[in-house]
Amino acid sequence: MIRNLIWVAAIPLVSLVLQHIFMGNVTSVSLTQEDSNKDIDNFTCEDHMQYILMEKVTFVPRTREEYMDYKETKNLKCNHTMLKVTIVLNPVGKKTNIGCFCEKPVAVKKCLEYNENKNVTIIQPKGDAPCNDFSITPCKVKYFSSESYKFFECFEKYGGISSPNENERKINSLKQRELSLKTKIQELNKMLEQREINLTKVIQTQKETIEQRDDKIENLQDENDGLKIYKGFAIVLINCNSGKRPTTGSGDQAAALKNNDQQKQEPFDVDEPELENILLPDNIYQAEDTFELQVGEHLEEDLKMNKPRDKESVDYPV
Ligand SMILES: *[C@@H]1O[C@H](CO)[C@@H](O)[C@H](O)[C@H]1NC(C)=O
Ligand SMILES: *[C@@H]1O[C@H](CO)[C@@H](O)[C@H](O)[C@H]1NC(C)=O
Ligand SMILES: *[C@@H]1O[C@H](CO)[C@@H](O)[C@H](O)[C@H]1NC(C)=O
Ligand SMILES: *[C@@H]1O[C@H](CO)[C@@H](O)[C@H](O)[C@H]1NC(C)=O
């Protein structure tokens, strides 16, 4: 009876011990190279399965939580359960990549890089990237390749990744730049506004000047027309006077005077020969001086009132 009781008590104890041993084996899978390279189906993780998942990354997680979250949000998944999302340096230049690699132990204090050897992508310690002297994350004697993110200074120093401090400085300088650009935009807008106002003013002034010039030209045209008419009258008057002139005195004197008159007449005749024809109706030679004055006054009135007057339709009062 007592024996049986001991057996009953021993069963769960044994199963617990067995369970513990089994769990211990499972959790230790990633701890040794041999175990990590073997699947439950006795499948070995081979170098040729490995590949680069993402190039030129700009962010490297710093903690396990960040790493898990990053994988989740960026949907970083490998196409084989044996492969692990691993952060690696680029073989050349200050660049960082993420790839799917077989878990491997790194037994030297160097950062991890990938390399292409013939058609195969592999991971290896980077010769010229020591990590033993880092202030925050000095390398351990041995680390597993999938834990490379834990030595984030590798990627900050050799992989072109900015540290949070650098990021803050960059953000601040960008903010500063944004502010100064905004100010500049405001200044430019103000200047453009002012220029528009100036241009509007200039256009207005030009318009007014053109209008004034047009008015002047019109006035000059009117004046010119008036002058032509007066010139015509001057000719008429001169002709009338020469017709009335008494022929007393010597013949020579009279001839000289006549010559003078002809000389005075010449410029008008040359300039406006047609005016004489238009403005010299036959009866005007017999007219009195007062009569001619009335005609002149009449025209002047019309001109003052700015009445357009066709030369050929001028009506002379009889
Ligand atoms: C695993 O595979 C190797 C050959 O690839 C074989 O020798 C070995 O017996 C296998 N182990 C198991 C547990 O199947
Ligand atoms: C996994 O993806 C890589 C890159 O896209 C490809 O070369 C490889 O053949 C894939 N492997 C499997 C098992 O699908
Ligand atoms: C590399 O791949 C090419 C074609 O993709 C193939 O012809 C060549 O044999 C491969 N070389 C090796 C070493 O696997
Ligand atoms: C506008 O005109 C004022 C003076 O008239 C001048 O001082 C200013 O520079 C001008 N602004 C622009 C943008 O042309």
Side-chain angles (χ1 to χ4, degrees), residues 210-226:
I210 287 167
E211 274 170 14
Q212 279 169 7
R213 206 170 284 169
D214 279 353
D215 282 353
K216 252 185 206 168
I217 287 168
E218 214 171 283
N219 285 345
L220 278 172
Q221 195 69 49
D222 288 349
E223 245 173 66
N224 195 31
D225 286 351

Side-chain angles (χ1 to χ4, degrees), residues 38 40-44:
K38 277 180 188 154
I40 305 149
D41 308 302
N42 194 14
F43 190 89
T44 310

Side-chain angles (χ1 to χ4, degrees), residues 173-312:
S173 93
L174 279 173
K175 273 184 187 165
Q176 205 65 37
R177 203 169 146 67
E178 193 192 6
L179 208 76
S180 86
L181 277 174
K182 268 185 185 166
T183 314
K184 254 183 202 164
I185 286 169
Q186 275 176 352
E187 279 169 15
L188 275 172
N189 275 340
K190 246 185 227 171
M191 208 188 80
L192 278 175
E193 233 168 73
Q194 189 57 48
R195 190 167 285 178
E196 208 182 315
I197 291 167
N198 281 7
L199 268 175
T200 313
K201 271 186 204 162
V202 165
I203 288 168
Q204 190 58 35
T205 313
Q206 291 284 349
K207 251 188 198 166
E208 277 165 16
T209 309
I210 287 167
E211 274 170 14
Q212 279 169 7
R213 206 170 284 169
D214 279 353
D215 282 353
K216 252 185 206 168
I217 287 168
E218 214 171 283
N219 285 345
L220 278 172
Q221 195 69 49
D222 288 349
E223 245 173 66
N224 195 31
D225 286 351
L227 272 175
K228 278 179 183 172
I229 290 160
Y230 283 120
K231 266 184 196 172
F233 273 104
I235 296 159
V236 172
L237 288 170
I238 286 158
N239 281 344
C240 289
N241 281 341
S242 66
K244 278 181 184 174
R245 189 170 284 128
T247 51
T248 51
S250 70
D252 283 353
Q253 269 179 334
L257 276 167
K258 212 175 184 184
N259 273 345
N260 268 353
D261 283 351
Q262 269 168 358
Q263 274 166 6
K264 275 179 198 165
Q265 259 173 262
E266 260 168 20
F268 297 125
D269 289 345
V270 170
D271 281 348
E272 265 109 20
E274 84 282 1
L275 269 180
E276 201 174 3
N277 295 334
I278 295 157
L279 296 165
L280 294 178
D282 289 341
N283 62 343
I284 210 157
Y285 285 103
Q286 281 89 49
E288 303 267 314
D289 281 2
T290 49
F291 165 73
E292 276 140 19
L293 199 68
Q294 277 170 356
V295 173
E297 275 168 0
H298 177 69
L299 276 172
E300 206 170 26
E301 240 171 59
D302 281 358
L303 285 167
K304 268 185 197 159
M305 288 163 78
N306 213 6
K307 271 194 199 163
R309 182 173 280 273
D310 190 348
K311 277 179 247 165
E312 284 175 312

Side-chain angles (χ1 to χ4, degrees), residues 130-159:
C131 53
N132 56 306
D133 60 344
F134 286 159
S135 57
I136 310 168
T137 60
C139 293
K140 289 188 244 170
V141 178
K142 182 179 166 186
Y143 66 93
F144 281 98
S145 55
S146 68
E147 298 173 331
S148 63
Y149 71 88
K150 287 182 181 171
F151 310 100
F152 51 78
E153 278 174 296
C154 278
F155 310 107
E156 289 173 4
K157 189 168 182 184
Y158 309 113

